[in-house]
Amino acid sequence: MRKTRNADRDPRFEEMWDKCRPLVLAYCMRRTSAHDAEDACSETFLVAWRRLDDVPDQPRTILYLYGIAGKVLSNQKRSVHRRTRLDERLSRLGVTQPIDPGVLVVQNTEDEVVMSAVRRLQPKDREIIMLDAWEELSRHDIAEVMGMTRSAVDQRIHRAYKRLARSLEPMIEIHPTNSPPVAEQGGT
Amino acid sequence: MTHEQIRQMVRKANPVPDPYAYQSLATSVLTEEQERMHMQTDGRVEVVPEPPTKSRRGVLLGLATAGVVLLVGLVFLLGNDTAEQATPIVTPKPVPETDTPVRIGPGAYFIDVDGVESTSLGGTFVIEGQGWNGVTAGATYPDADSYVSLLVASLDALPDHTCHDTQFGPPGATAQAQAERFAAIPEYIVHQAPEPVTAYGYSGYHVLLEVGDEGWVPGSDLGEFTGCDAGNFHGWGSPTFGRAMAAPGQKLELWFLDVGTTPIMVEASWFQDTTDLGMDQLEAVRESLVITP
């Protein structure tokens, strides 16, 4: 009986692994160092294996996994304090170490300024912005991952982009875009 | 500036724009048949006890053992007149090789500071009570909202700035050079500039620093200097460990010692609000430390 059950489970898990692992690993790598991302990705799939019966079918599987990965990363950060391996830190800073393809490369100064502004957002706002801009989820899907209502997500996205606009204003003045600034309406 | 413009800027800054470009990375434990064996057939994941760390330092570790046994024996000789109590045999185990603290029980632990199996360079410390956690470079003990820690390292990199535009460089070839270089890093408050000292049987320099508040947003989690580049208040690097600091007010008492030709750094760390219990725990472990060349 057990063999039968696992014979059912394994193909399903393997399919989930094949289809979703790159996305989950990328999700983790966007939020932490490469080595921590690997650990978090593995931990996410361990949790998914344990709860395989609860994992929704495609295409909602990835949303469920993002939700788990977010919690796994939060737990990582709550450890006594954050440490990163030196070689990762050096690589990430572009200093002296061999290039690791998993390094979080900030392409240029402008990106660095944008990233710095994103990092200064409140954690939930930051996560929502990342899900929106990096994972490119719909607002409905963001709400599902974050366990929020759609309207709460809308409000937070609006507020977060407004804050980002304020933070990035000086940079835009120095490097003006082709489009003229547009005043924001409403907000919280 | 519209939201869509901002969104495009954030999208452009995506550090991993193509998830499928990184598939070759991080061959996960889950893909290995060997690791799959850890999964029970009833669908739950087996909690597999960590395999005992290989005693890879062999005879050299034995030397450290002898030192600790000698130390413990001496303490018992001096402090226990009745001599009815059997002298415990203390065998140092390697500290767990992990960046994330894991619980360790009472016993003696060896810190391999250079990660080289053929040398015994490092430190051995004794933990007598419960509640300590081990990391590659030493041990930490949770206290109040923070922790105390004792780390031992052979530095191979120091930052020129803790928070912004950080570049790492050589730490210096002697204890004095390292102490002076460390104490000069911006954003540390220097409570005691490098002073000559003899500690753990070696001569060197003693420094007392405090982590400043550059890049810190009040209310952040420990270690989250969100205003700093990469979110870190950079500490130091060794062949086995990278240290980032936890929060403003964190005190670092440092001993830089010339152990043979290699400078070794001992870092004892605590916070403004560390309790007497936390300080006692730290002091006991620090005093048990034996440095081996």
Side-chain angles (χ1 to χ4, degrees):
Chain A
M1 290 295 287
R2 280 184 172 180
K3 278 189 176 175
T4 304
R5 188 181 171 197
N6 278 280
D8 292 340
R9 290 172 66 91
D10 283 348
R12 189 167 173 234
F13 182 81
E14 281 171 15
E15 184 193 2
M16 177 173 72
W17 173 262
D18 291 340
K19 286 188 175 169
C20 298
R21 180 180 166 275
L23 298 173
V24 173
L25 182 58
Y27 172 97
C28 295
M29 289 177 67
R30 289 166 184 146
R31 288 158 177 81
T32 189
S33 64
H35 278 92
D36 287 347
E38 294 166 19
D39 292 344
C41 182
S42 297
E43 176 71 19
T44 298
F45 279 93
L46 277 170
V47 173
W49 169 266
R50 276 191 211 114
R51 300 179 186 167
L52 199 54
D53 293 339
D54 299 331
V55 176
D57 291 330
Q58 301 286 0
R60 312 220 68 73
T61 309
I62 189 60
L63 303 181
Y64 184 83
L65 292 174
Y66 282 157
I68 295 175
K71 290 185 177 69
V72 168
L73 289 170
S74 294
N75 287 337
Q76 265 187 358
K77 287 182 181 175
R78 283 192 203 104
S79 61
V80 173
H81 73 281
R82 186 187 177 102
R83 296 184 185 85
T84 55
R85 291 185 177 87
L86 176 68
D87 57 354
E88 282 181 0
R89 286 213 319 259
L90 295 178
S91 298
R92 198 163 50 180
L93 294 165
V95 183
T96 67
Q97 295 293 299
I99 295 170
D100 172 352
V103 164
L104 306 184
V105 179
V106 176
Q107 290 90 344
N108 56 40
T109 308
E110 181 181 299
D111 292 346
E112 204 171 328
V113 172
V114 172
M115 284 305 304
S116 175
V118 171
R119 276 198 295 266
R120 287 197 297 273
L121 293 172
Q122 291 176 7
K124 275 189 180 171
D125 291 349
R126 183 171 60 220
E127 179 64 14
I128 287 172
I129 291 297
M130 289 178 175
L131 288 170
D132 178 50
W134 290 356
E135 274 76 35
E136 301 187 34
L137 298 186
S138 70
R139 296 193 178 188
H140 179 270
D141 288 348
I142 293 172
E144 185 170 330
V145 172
M146 298 294 291
M148 292 176 171
T149 62
R150 165 67 195 265
S151 63
V153 168
D154 287 343
Q155 282 180 11
R156 279 187 178 269
I157 282 186
H158 182 84
R159 185 173 64 193
Y161 278 124
K162 200 171 173 182
R163 284 188 179 149
L164 283 176
R166 270 203 301 272
S167 301
L168 298 172
E169 203 74 34
M171 186 179 85
I172 301 305
E173 285 170 8
I174 295 168
H175 306 286
T177 60
N178 293 329
S179 308
V182 177
E184 293 295 338
Q185 302 292 322
T188 54
Chain B
M1 207 168 5
T2 65
H3 286 178
E4 188 52 34
Q5 285 174 308
I6 300 287
R7 184 171 185 269
Q8 291 307 320
M9 291 169 74
V10 177
R11 282 189 67 183
K12 183 172 165 292
N14 185 349
V16 188
D18 178 9
Y20 299 96
Y22 298 96
Q23 288 194 76
S24 60
L25 271 181
T27 306
S28 166
V29 291
L30 289 174
T31 61
E32 300 292 336
E33 188 62 29
Q34 180 187 6
E35 293 294 326
R36 283 182 180 245
M37 296 296 287
H38 290 175
M39 295 183 177
Q40 291 180 328
T41 51
D42 65 359
R44 288 178 301 147
V45 175
E46 182 184 5
V47 178
V48 182
E50 276 196 36
T53 311
K54 280 186 275 184
S55 179
R56 60 193 176 92
R57 295 166 189 93
V59 176
L60 292 169
L61 196 55
L63 291 173
T65 309
V68 172
V69 170
L70 206 64
L71 181 75
V72 173
L74 193 62
V75 168
F76 269 75
L77 271 177
L78 295 174
N80 190 351
D81 289 340
T82 63
E84 289 174 359
Q85 207 169 340
T87 302
I89 296 174
V90 184
T91 304
K93 293 174 278 192
V95 287
E97 291 183 21
T98 170
D99 290 348
T100 307
V102 297
R103 184 55 53 91
I104 54 177
Y109 293 88
F110 177 72
I111 305 162
D112 179 5
V113 299
D114 58 6
V116 178
E117 295 179 19
S118 59
T119 72
S120 59
L121 188 65
T124 301
F125 61 92
V126 177
I127 286 174
E128 294 181 346
Q130 300 288 343
W132 280 85
N133 297 309
V135 292
T136 308
T140 70
Y141 180 83
D143 180 83
D145 291 329
S146 55
Y147 66 96
V148 299
S149 64
L150 181 77
L151 305 176
V152 182
S154 167
L155 300 186
D156 67 0
L158 281 175
D160 56 3
H161 195 287
T162 54
C163 185
H164 298 298
D165 302 321
T166 305
Q167 299 283 318
F168 282 82
T174 65
Q176 182 177 6
Q178 290 192 359
E180 288 172 353
R181 167 113 159 68
F182 204 126
I185 300 171
E187 307 310 335
Y188 284 113
I189 299 161
V190 179
H191 289 287
Q192 188 194 303
E195 275 191 357
V197 70
T198 298
Y200 307 106
Y202 298 93
S203 61
Y205 285 79
H206 177 241
V207 180
L208 181 59
L209 306 176
E210 180 179 326
V211 174
D213 60 4
E214 178 73 14
W216 177 258
V217 177
S220 299
D221 289 339
L222 291 181
E224 295 287 342
F225 282 80
T226 51
C228 289
D229 300 342
N232 280 331
F233 190 103
H234 296 291
W236 45 261
S238 80
T240 61
F241 199 73
R243 173 74 150 126
M245 298 308 166
Q250 182 178 13
K251 300 282 180 58
L252 305 172
E253 188 165 16
L254 307 166
W255 292 264
F256 295 87
L257 307 170
D258 284 312
V259 181
T261 56
T262 307
I264 295 289
M265 185 194 70
V266 177
E267 181 207 285
S269 165
W270 68 94
F271 291 78
Q272 300 277 19
D273 59 353
T274 294
T275 65
D276 289 345
L277 172 65
M279 291 304 293
D280 289 346
Q281 289 281 342
L282 175 60
E283 199 58 19
V285 172
R286 193 182 69 74
E287 286 183 356
S288 74
L289 184 66
V290 174
I291 301 289
T292 47

